Amino acid sequence: MHGRTINTLALDNYQRAARVILANHLVTRTYPDRIALPLIRRWATELREDLAELFGYRLEVSETTARVFPVLDRLDASRPARTPAERVFDRRRYAYLALALAALGRAGDQITLSELADQVAAYAGRVDGLELATDRASDRDAFVDAVGWLTVRGALTLADGDAGGWASDPEAGEALYDIDRPVVFALFRPPRALQHLHSVRGLFAEEATATGVSAHAPTTAEIARRVRRALVERPVVYIDDLPPEERPVLAQDRIVADVELFTGLRAERRAEGVALIDTSGRLSDTRFPGAGTLAQVALLLAGEIADRVLDIDNPLPRRGGSPHPGGALAEQLDAAIPESTLFAPLSQLRSPDSLPAGSASPDVEPEQQGGPVASTYPLVGPAWLRETMQALADRYGATFAAQWQADVPRLTTEVVALLERLRLVQAVDEGLLVLPALARYRGAVVTVRTKRAAELFVTAADTYGPDGTGTEGN
């Protein structure tokens, strides 16, 4: 690993480059900023070799782009695409984004917004249930959001006009864009032809075939790479999240130390797992604690939940089960695959009654398989959650952003979603499972400033200092 041989004075610069490429996967001349690409190019050789050795990632660097191609071990819904205004993409925006990329791949050096919209509308007409009607304001807004996502990353550069004017009135407004073709081609390069996949699991792990079956048993080096990938991709890596063969690897000091040296982050280890703490803020896509109503109320709620868990006079019930929802997400995506558009697989499909390597027979009970005993987690009920959120709103509501002051149920939904992304809780039908990392925020102290009513509570830096920053992966 090059981090061990790089001069101490240059190591911080190298680690900054590592954090930038892990956080963004795509770096262009303008994204995430104008200094990122020169930084990556400075360390291209070392980064390429270390990313391959530690994580199994492939890095491609050119004069205009740097693109890391990760290896998927499972799905993660915690990092959705967002509009320039930070709204989460819905299915329609994702569809327009994919179709816009297809259209730009066939375009020249420039294109008008209306021309791109016409091409996307033509493609959308071939997909059941999808339409781009430029006379419908909601469709125009969704399409402009997809174009804005491409513009932020440098695939498109506004040369003339205004996309907002076109969205308001396509007859009066127009916009002209320069197309950066290398960025367009770098953005979407799936590891396998999607037309041949009958399951999203076919995108997992580099050794998997199109059917999702491992071609060979994982080696010791491959297992170590999986654990390192988990450390940089997840805000917290719980022992219970990992398959049995990976759990002892997470406990190895060398594995965690390799990631610390490469990224410059500090590992916080507990019996339940490991979290990398990003005090720089350059690897995390969500800072916590942080500013804003959602982050501050989430911190308040985390403190309340921690106090409730510690109430020995009124112990909470506990519930078992895996805290990570990746499997359910894969099933939902598989159910949405239009089978009529799939080509026959390139490799022979396994027989319906066969199982992937390492799978247990469905007739065998878990206890008979000799697997580890599942952990249990405290369960907070929905009634307590509603009462606690209402009490927080009653006490601090005047300092909330206006959009949340009169909508406590929606505020609750968004706050719980944030805590789930941070792997502090998991929502289940019976309420919230309290995951171990939430204990990090017990005893939170909140100060309300009265001189500036528009400011919500004290900032995270004032309360916790730089070491109070949590991670959200890349």
Side-chain angles (χ1 to χ4, degrees):
M1 179 180 168
H2 288 280
R4 300 189 186 96
T5 59
I6 293 175
N7 182 285
T8 303
L9 296 176
L11 182 59
D12 180 68
N13 190 263
Y14 177 66
Q15 291 170 335
R16 196 179 324 130
R19 292 194 296 268
V20 168
I21 196 63
L22 285 173
N24 298 284
H25 287 189
L26 174 70
V27 173
T28 68
R29 286 174 290 193
T30 59
Y31 181 81
D33 52 50
R34 294 188 178 276
I35 65 173
L37 185 60
L39 179 64
I40 300 299
R41 286 172 55 82
R42 160 69 178 84
W43 297 103
T45 300
E46 294 85 354
L47 287 172
R48 186 180 296 111
E49 294 177 4
D50 281 349
L51 285 167
E53 175 189 346
L54 296 177
F55 309 104
Y57 292 169
R58 187 176 86 256
L59 174 65
E60 293 183 0
V61 180
S62 69
E63 292 184 2
T64 58
T65 62
R67 179 74 160 96
V68 66
F69 294 88
V71 177
L72 295 180
D73 295 306
R74 66 178 178 183
L75 297 179
D76 183 359
S78 66
R79 297 188 294 273
R82 297 177 181 272
T83 70
E86 289 298 310
R87 294 190 302 273
V88 174
F89 268 37
D90 55 16
R91 297 178 67 178
R92 176 167 51 174
R93 284 167 172 79
Y94 277 120
Y96 291 165
L97 175 59
L99 296 178
L101 280 169
L104 293 173
R106 296 173 172 85
D109 294 329
Q110 286 189 320
I111 193 169
T112 65
L113 190 58
S114 58
E115 289 173 341
L116 182 57
D118 289 342
Q119 293 184 35
V120 171
Y123 292 157
R126 304 175 193 173
V127 181
D128 293 340
L130 182 63
E131 181 183 21
L132 171 55
T134 55
D135 59 349
R136 187 183 303 143
S138 60
D139 284 10
R140 294 196 304 271
D141 289 341
F143 174 69
V144 168
D145 282 341
V147 170
W149 189 93
L150 293 168
T151 303
V152 167
R153 282 151 184 81
L156 295 172
T157 302
L158 184 65
D160 193 15
D162 176 27
W166 180 89
S168 299
D169 183 358
E171 298 297 328
E174 184 59 282
L176 176 67
Y177 290 93
D178 294 326
I179 303 172
D180 192 323
R181 300 183 67 79
V183 176
V184 171
F185 292 138
L187 270 171
F188 183 69
R189 287 171 56 186
R192 296 174 187 87
L194 300 185
Q195 301 97 315
H196 298 285
L197 297 182
H198 287 252
S199 170
V200 71
R201 292 176 175 85
L203 295 174
F204 291 174
E206 56 191 345
E207 73 273 12
T209 66
T211 62
V213 182
S214 178
H216 58 82
T219 65
T220 302
E222 287 169 347
I223 292 174
R225 282 193 286 267
R226 289 180 188 174
V227 174
R228 294 191 199 99
R229 289 197 290 263
L231 286 169
V232 297
E233 291 170 358
R234 307 177 198 171
V236 184
V237 180
Y238 292 114
I239 290 288
D240 290 341
D241 281 353
L242 302 177
E245 67 272 14
E246 295 178 13
R247 296 180 183 186
V249 178
L250 183 64
Q252 296 178 13
D253 292 339
R254 177 65 177 271
I255 296 296
V256 177
D258 283 344
V259 179
E260 287 183 305
L261 180 61
F262 181 67
T263 61
L265 306 186
R266 176 175 56 85
E268 189 171 286
R269 308 184 70 153
R270 296 290 184 269
E272 299 87 356
V274 179
L276 289 180
I277 308 304
D278 178 18
T279 58
S280 72
R282 295 302 299 268
L283 183 59
S284 305
D285 55 2
T286 300
R287 292 182 64 89
F288 189 78
T293 298
L294 289 182
Q296 297 285 9
V297 175
L299 180 60
L300 283 171
L301 180 60
E304 294 289 338
I305 293 175
D307 289 343
R308 179 66 185 88
V309 172
L310 294 174
D311 185 356
I312 58 176
D313 294 328
N314 297 286
L316 289 171
R318 300 181 71 90
R319 207 197 83 164
S322 172
H324 199 282
L329 178 59
E331 292 176 1
Q332 293 172 7
L333 290 174
D334 286 351
I337 295 177
E339 291 290 335
S340 61
T341 64
L342 292 175
F343 295 156
L346 293 175
S347 59
Q348 185 177 0
L349 287 172
R350 68 181 187 271
S351 61
D353 57 348
S354 66
L355 291 167
S359 296
S361 167
D363 297 327
V364 180
E365 294 297 326
E367 293 79 7
Q368 296 175 296
Q369 298 173 24
V373 177
S375 299
T376 60
Y377 305 92
L379 178 66
V380 172
W384 181 90
L385 178 62
R386 286 193 299 270
E387 293 171 1
T388 301
M389 285 296 296
Q390 187 60 57
L392 292 175
D394 292 342
R395 183 173 182 183
Y396 301 110
T399 64
F400 291 179
Q403 67 187 102
W404 305 117
Q405 291 182 6
D407 197 349
V408 177
R410 181 165 170 254
L411 175 63
T412 302
T413 299
E414 294 296 327
V415 165
V416 168
L418 174 58
L419 293 177
E420 279 199 284
R421 289 200 301 273
L422 295 166
R423 302 287 286 115
L424 302 179
V425 302
Q426 187 198 350
V428 294
D429 292 340
E430 302 91 335
L432 293 181
L433 289 180
V434 184
L435 304 184
L438 184 133
R440 192 171 191 269
Y441 302 100
R442 63 181 179 269
V445 177
V446 177
T447 302
V448 179
R449 292 180 177 175
T450 57
K451 292 183 179 180
R452 298 177 60 184
E455 183 174 346
L456 176 66
F457 313 132
V458 68
T459 64
D462 290 333
T463 304
Y464 291 92
D467 289 338
T469 304
T471 66
E472 170 63 328
N474 60 333

